[in-house]
Amino acid sequence: DQQVKQNSPSLSVQEGRISILNCDYTNSMFDYFLWYKKYPAEGPTFLISISSIKDKNEDGRFTVFLNKSAKHLSLHIVPSQPGDSAVYFCAASWNTDKLIFGTGTRLQVFP
Amino acid sequence: EAQVTQNPRYLITVTGKKLTVTCSQNMNHEYMSWYRQDPGLGLRQIYYSMNVEVTDKGDVPEGYKVSRKEKRNFPLILESPSPNQTSLYFCASSLSSGGTQYFGPGTRLLVL
């Protein structure tokens, strides 16, 4: 039972355009959400997070949106750069319990 | 530099030969965890530890053991590896269980 789902295994975006990565979850108790970025041959690194009391969090080119009623969150990258090409994982937790990760989306930003 | 280190980074072994993957963090984190990453399955938690001498099973603990004798170290032990344990393994640590986790560089294991 996959509680956190990333239905798009891959996404290809032109440099300068917006990248939108999506994540859906099934457990309405989740209260903290994170996005991680992973380059080949490296461990995932934390990118941005949002708590359930907010619906948006912004950090530079990265913005995470949370729609609790739809149990959906998204990561927007504007403008996309070639260095953003990586695998992106969303993750969720509740009541400071363990993180549950999605299956990942591979983003490719081409010139 | 704050970091999580894992050793070895790459390992090829044969079925049944016991192995240990070490993990160490220098951030004084209480929570440590092991994950495996497999195609199409994302990151799945194997074992975790809330503090020294406190460990518990994650989602896929079968075939693995862990220990937490010191705060900074959290080794993953495969007593009798099997080919289905061929995977990419990550150790992670954080201040608390649901918080931001810091990952090691990964250990790619091939069991023949």
Side-chain angles (χ1 to χ4, degrees):
Chain A
D1 178 28
Q2 192 76 26
Q3 296 188 66
V4 179
K5 302 176 185 178
Q6 294 176 256
N7 292 318
S8 298
S10 64
L11 176 67
S12 189
V13 172
Q14 188 172 30
E15 182 178 6
R17 302 266 190 171
I18 183 171
S19 295
I20 300 176
L21 294 94
N22 294 303
C23 181
D24 296 297
Y25 60 94
T26 57
N27 190 338
S28 58
M29 299 298 289
F30 285 142
D31 58 8
Y32 189 59
F33 305 87
L34 307 89
W35 283 94
Y36 283 81
K37 176 179 181 179
K38 184 184 177 305
Y39 291 118
E42 294 182 12
T45 55
F46 169 72
L47 189 58
I48 192 169
S49 64
I50 187 168
S51 91
S52 59
I53 62 172
K54 294 186 173 183
D55 55 17
K56 175 183 175 181
N57 188 26
E58 192 172 352
D59 183 3
R61 296 185 298 113
F62 303 91
T63 303
V64 56
F65 294 92
L66 176 62
N67 183 334
K68 289 186 288 292
S69 61
K71 297 192 184 68
H72 177 85
L73 73 156
S74 61
L75 174 68
H76 292 209
I77 307 173
V78 184
S80 301
Q81 299 174 355
D84 296 329
S85 297
V87 176
Y88 290 79
F89 291 98
C90 66
S93 70
W94 75 98
N95 198 26
T96 71
D97 200 358
K98 64 180 182 179
L99 289 181
I100 307 294
F101 284 86
T103 53
T105 297
R106 182 177 303 277
L107 173 66
Q108 182 181 9
V109 181
F110 59 93
Chain B
E1 180 190 355
Q3 60 181 353
V4 179
T5 57
Q6 296 178 227
N7 282 293
R9 294 290 312 278
Y10 304 91
L11 181 59
I12 301 174
T13 190
V14 295
T15 298
K17 186 176 182 181
K18 180 179 178 179
L19 67 92
T20 299
V21 184
T22 64
C23 173
S24 183
Q25 51 94 4
N26 62 2
M27 294 170 279
N28 203 35
H29 285 166
E30 293 194 345
Y31 184 86
M32 297 186 74
S33 183
W34 276 101
Y35 295 88
R36 59 179 289 175
Q37 183 190 356
D38 301 289
L41 297 175
L43 291 161
R44 294 180 295 167
Q45 191 180 53
I46 302 170
Y47 265 94
Y48 64 95
S49 171
M50 302 287 278
N51 213 326
V52 176
E53 301 292 0
V54 180
T55 64
D56 210 344
K57 297 177 180 178
D59 299 315
V60 287
E62 294 77 22
Y64 305 95
K65 285 175 57 177
V66 293
S67 70
R68 187 92 181 274
K69 293 183 170 55
E70 305 166 281
K71 197 171 189 178
R72 63 182 292 129
N73 296 322
F74 190 45
L76 179 69
I77 303 155
L78 284 72
E79 294 271 4
S80 182
S82 62
N84 65 12
Q85 292 178 298
T86 292
S87 187
L88 179 57
Y89 291 87
F90 291 102
C91 179
S93 73
S94 60
L95 284 172
S96 63
S97 56
T100 304
Q101 294 197 18
Y102 297 85
F103 284 81
T107 296
R108 188 168 290 281
L109 172 65
L110 172 61
V111 182
L112 301 173

